[in-house]
């Protein structure tokens, strides 16, 4: 009997996002140093790493929020200098670590703003997308009139993801979606990440909660001090003694509790 073959070098599907030799410096501080990675269509790819490794910097540079050196290509089209509007137009969406909601606006208005660029392009089907987002997050439907400022941490995270989904991204980049969330809410967020992939959205997931991230992802990269230190199929990395010691060991037990 033939066993399924693991994507050892992560090239088994059509390439949606590829970055090559990406570097970012804040003045003299080199936060990202020649990082390369790939996300295939329909994949969940995670980047794990400690505080200050450069994870947020990586996502910001891909999205064009931060200037960088190197290459970012979406669907084979190379962007030497990514710009936010262009990257959104190419199908990239970012849920930033700080969520950046419009706190004095209602849940419904925050969601509608997520479809603004599509509206400007003449697409008028945001009503259907809104319905899909409310189906995915019934809690947001219940709270649709409520001001974003008054939402709980988990609800804010749902709103941030929902708002990004309103742009109908092909690739959703999530920066620490489990940050500050209670264990049960964290589980719910990771369940939704799997659901999104089933619906055809590819995911680039940045996480400190390595255990939960490796459980949900197909492929994983370890980022340390701005460089990709390790990579491999997520299940394989989860069994790697170096990953276990640094990210999944006893000191990470609290993460186990968060993830299950
Ligand atoms: P965390 O998991 O704590 O969010 P991270 O892996 O996302 O960390 P980054 O936020 O990308 O890490 O930061 C990478 C490095 O760049 C850190 O050393 C940080 O102090 C530095 N850095 C980030 N933003 C700036 C900035 N605006 N100016 C100067 N240095 C910065």
């Amino acid at each position: 009997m033939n066993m399924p073959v693991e994507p050892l070098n992560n090239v088994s599907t059509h390439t949606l996002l590829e970055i090559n030799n990406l570097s970012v410096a804040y003045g003299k501080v080199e936060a990202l140093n020649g990082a390369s990675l790939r996300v295939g269509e329909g994949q969940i790819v995670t980047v794990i790493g400690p505080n200050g490794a450069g994870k947020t910097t990586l996502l910001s540079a891909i999205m064009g929020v931060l200037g960088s050196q190197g290459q970012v290509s979406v669907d084979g089209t190379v962007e030497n200098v990514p710009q936010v509007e262009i990257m959104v137009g190419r199908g990239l969406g970012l849920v930033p670590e700080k969520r950046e909601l419009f706190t004095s606006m209602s849940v419904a208005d925050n969601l509608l703003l997520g479809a603004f660029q599509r509206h400007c392009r003449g697409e008028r089907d945001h009503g259907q997308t809104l319905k899909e987002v409310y189906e995915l997050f019934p809690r947001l439907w219940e709270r649709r009139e409520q001001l974003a400022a008054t939402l709980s941490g988990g609800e804010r995270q749902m709103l941030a993801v929902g708002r990004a989904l309103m742009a109908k991204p092909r690739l959703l980049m999530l920066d620490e979606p489990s940050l500050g969330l209670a264990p049960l809410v964290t589980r719910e967020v990771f369940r939704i990440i799997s659901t999104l992939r089933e619906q055809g959205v590819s995911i680039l997931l940045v996480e400190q909660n390595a255990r939960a991230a490796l459980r949900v992802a197909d492929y994983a990269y370890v980022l340390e001090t701005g460089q990709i230190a390790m990579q491999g199929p997520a299940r394989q990395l989860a069994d790697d003694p170096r990953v276990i010691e640094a990210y999944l060991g006893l000191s990470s037990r609290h993460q186990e509790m968060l993830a299950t």
Side-chain angles (χ1 to χ4, degrees):
M1 196 179 80
N2 284 337
M3 297 295 284
V5 179
E6 288 281 358
L8 277 177
N9 50 8
N10 193 23
V11 291
S12 59
T13 56
H14 170 76
T15 300
L16 187 53
L17 173 76
E18 185 161 22
I19 71 161
N20 280 310
N21 218 7
L22 203 67
S23 299
V24 176
Y26 299 104
K28 286 188 179 143
V29 179
E30 184 127 86
L32 198 63
N33 188 356
S36 299
L37 64 75
R38 176 188 174 279
V39 182
E41 188 114 56
Q43 274 191 321
I44 300 179
V45 172
T46 189
V47 177
I48 59 172
N51 281 125
K55 303 182 298 298
T56 298
T57 302
L58 170 71
L59 294 191
S60 305
I62 294 172
M63 199 66 201
V65 178
L66 273 179
S68 61
Q69 288 193 312
Q71 267 187 358
V72 177
S73 53
V74 182
D75 246 345
T77 305
V78 176
E79 301 290 341
N80 285 314
V81 187
Q83 286 174 354
V84 180
E85 293 77 14
I86 292 173
M87 298 317 261
V88 171
R90 296 218 191 288
L92 264 54
L94 173 65
V95 179
E97 188 175 347
K98 294 193 174 71
R99 318 306 182 222
E100 286 162 23
L101 299 170
F102 300 101
T103 49
S104 58
M105 293 171 71
S106 70
V107 166
D109 286 344
N110 267 275
L111 289 174
L112 286 173
L113 275 173
F116 181 70
Q117 220 194 37
R118 279 174 65 205
H119 188 80
C120 294
R121 288 199 301 264
E123 296 171 31
R124 294 289 183 270
D125 57 346
H126 60 264
Q128 176 58 31
T129 317
L130 189 61
K131 194 167 157 266
E132 289 164 13
V133 168
Y134 283 141
E135 275 165 14
L136 193 61
F137 300 106
R139 183 76 70 91
L140 294 183
W141 167 252
E142 290 162 19
R143 311 237 183 270
R144 62 193 180 281
E145 305 297 342
Q146 196 170 316
L147 293 186
T150 62
L151 295 177
S152 72
E155 289 162 355
R156 279 171 192 234
Q157 177 62 293
M158 290 175 199
L159 181 53
V161 173
R163 190 179 59 182
L165 290 175
M166 289 297 293
K168 282 206 161 183
R170 294 176 66 198
L171 175 74
L172 188 62
M173 301 195 287
L174 299 165
D175 194 350
E176 306 255 4
S178 74
L179 191 73
L181 300 185
L184 274 178
V185 186
T186 298
R187 276 177 74 175
E188 176 68 5
V189 166
F190 277 91
R191 190 190 60 72
I192 284 163
I193 291 171
S194 294
T195 305
L196 288 175
R197 191 253 302 269
E198 284 160 24
Q199 293 177 356
V201 183
S202 310
I203 310 268
L204 179 57
L205 168 69
V206 154
E207 260 298 340
Q208 275 199 51
N209 186 342
R211 196 175 297 272
L214 291 175
R215 197 169 286 161
V216 78
D218 302 298
Y219 199 85
Y221 295 84
V222 178
L223 189 67
E224 289 173 350
T225 54
Q227 292 182 320
I228 302 290
M230 294 172 72
Q231 62 174 294
R235 264 180 296 159
Q236 193 170 303
L237 274 199
D239 288 336
D240 189 300
R242 288 167 295 173
V243 174
I244 292 171
E245 192 189 339
Y247 300 105
L248 307 174
L250 279 177
S251 62
S252 306
R253 269 285 157 75
H254 68 286
Q255 292 192 346
E256 169 88 82
M257 286 159 55
L258 287 175
T260 54

